Amino acid sequence: MDLFKDLLLPPAKSTVADNYDQLFEFVHMSSLLLTIAVLAAIIYFIIKYRRKSENEVTPVITHNNALEITWSVVPLVLVLFIFGWGFQVFLDMTSPPDDAYEVQVTAQKWLWRFQYENGASSTGELHVPADRPVRLVMSSNDVIHSFFVPDYRIKQDVVPGRYTSVWFNAPETGESTIFCTEYCGTDHSNMTGSVVVHEEDEFETWLAENAGGGTKPDDLTPAEWGEQLVQENACNTCHSTDGTELTGPTWQGKFGSEEPLSDGSTVTVDENYLRESILQPGAHIVQGYDNVMPPYQGVLSDEQINAIIEYIKTLK
Ligand code: CUA
């Protein structure tokens, strides 16, 4: 049974996962057994009732009550049993315990942002304490995304203009991958993240260290911090730093250059142009590119934007 599970499913790392997997196994194993039983019966009947002589005539059989009741009642009982079990697991998965730790999740093309109750925030990495229920309250800044952690067996759509929620309890420390599982545009497949599960005290330390949210860590220069922000906010999935052309213009040698715009005019790439392009990317589109970048207004603080601009300046 474990081999079967290892083949089909990722490791089970949340409290609902085991119950969920048992149901999954039951549905698959019972389907497999029934399929084999039906195939065996078909083969048996093919051989037993094959035509044996030229003048053999098939008898007329109108119906068989006992047989018809059997093949209706047995599957009905089986399906009701699976429904009852599934409903119980569903209730488990949709009712967070009252003492759950809450994290606010914002999805946008193409990243995940997490905000914690003490003002700390993180992008791409969700930090949680081990062995404690965590409830995520989620919404989207643009289109529909879906929050999926296969290791936890949880998946929930994240919708603009309303809140949805999902909860989990990961008993062990470690990391699990977050996927976006609702097609949301060019970089949907890169819209991943990870859940980092800490020991309780380690988690408190992380929270305290990140309480400042959008301020620069003391040990980094603005440009170094900018580089870190670029990774966290996934800017590098569309903008290369080595001249490679991706979805958006490369940043190599961009600062100070003259760029032709889609309206036929030209712009000098200075601090003001970069700032505008981060906050309202649609305002002045570089020729040859599509207006696909999401606005970072309200996502990045002024200090963070300055750091990213400092970083871009270093890419000569
Ligand atoms: Cu976000 Cu797919």
Side-chain angles (χ1 to χ4, degrees), residues 108 110 112 143-146 180-185 188-189 191:
Q108 78 171 57
W110 289 278
W112 300 100
V143 298
I144 301 178
H145 303 272
S146 188
C180 177
T181 177
E182 180 66 54
Y183 184 63
C184 55
H188 157 71
S189 56
M191 190 171 165

Side-chain angles (χ1 to χ4, degrees), residues 186-225:
T186 317
D187 269 311
H188 157 71
S189 56
N190 289 322
M191 190 171 165
T192 55
S194 53
V195 192
V196 183
V197 185
H198 301 276
E199 292 293 356
E200 184 78 40
D201 50 343
E202 198 183 289
F203 174 69
E204 294 301 333
T205 312
W206 181 89
L207 262 191
E209 278 174 1
N210 288 275
T215 51
K216 183 177 79 65
D218 288 337
D219 55 334
L220 297 181
T221 66
E224 283 166 352
W225 187 40

Side-chain angles (χ1 to χ4, degrees), residues 72-285:
S72 304
V73 171
V74 171
L76 179 70
V77 170
L78 190 67
V79 166
L80 283 178
F81 176 71
I82 291 173
F83 172 78
W85 190 353
F87 191 60
Q88 197 199 330
V89 177
F90 172 78
L91 286 181
D92 242 22
M93 296 176 85
T94 46
S95 333
D98 288 338
D99 60 341
Y101 180 78
E102 272 192 16
V103 180
Q104 312 288 322
V105 181
T106 309
Q108 78 171 57
K109 295 190 281 186
W110 289 278
L111 54 92
W112 300 100
R113 280 172 52 75
F114 305 99
Q115 271 167 310
Y116 306 80
E117 56 195 0
N118 74 338
S121 69
S122 59
T123 305
E125 269 184 6
L126 168 60
H127 294 263
V128 297
D131 204 19
R132 202 163 135 195
V134 175
R135 177 169 179 255
L136 305 178
V137 180
M138 313 189 286
S139 69
S140 165
N141 275 345
D142 39 44
V143 298
I144 301 178
H145 303 272
S146 188
F147 185 89
F148 182 32
V149 183
D151 289 356
Y152 297 170
R153 316 290 189 261
I154 58 166
K155 184 194 274 184
Q156 174 63 52
D157 276 9
V158 183
V159 184
R162 61 173 288 190
Y163 295 107
T164 54
S165 83
V166 70
W167 82 277
F168 61 89
N169 180 344
E172 307 286 337
T173 58
E175 275 195 39
S176 292
T177 307
I178 301 165
F179 292 96
C180 177
T181 177
E182 180 66 54
Y183 184 63
C184 55
T186 317
D187 269 311
H188 157 71
S189 56
N190 289 322
M191 190 171 165
T192 55
S194 53
V195 192
V196 183
V197 185
H198 301 276
E199 292 293 356
E200 184 78 40
D201 50 343
E202 198 183 289
F203 174 69
E204 294 301 333
T205 312
W206 181 89
L207 262 191
E209 278 174 1
N210 288 275
T215 51
K216 183 177 79 65
D218 288 337
D219 55 334
L220 297 181
T221 66
E224 283 166 352
W225 187 40
E227 182 171 10
Q228 193 180 316
L229 290 167
V230 163
Q231 307 277 341
E232 285 175 9
N233 289 283
C235 313
N236 51 347
T237 53
C238 294
H239 299 283
S240 80
T241 55
D242 61 359
T244 316
E245 291 299 325
L246 304 172
T247 310
T250 180
W251 287 347
Q252 191 187 43
K254 197 64 29 165
F255 191 80
S257 69
E258 300 279 325
E259 292 292 312
L261 297 177
S262 54
D263 62 7
S265 62
T266 311
V267 72
T268 306
V269 180
D270 57 7
E271 283 91 346
N272 282 318
Y273 178 70
L274 288 177
R275 182 185 163 81
E276 180 195 71
S277 297
I278 294 170
L279 294 175
Q280 298 148 33
H284 294 100
I285 299 285

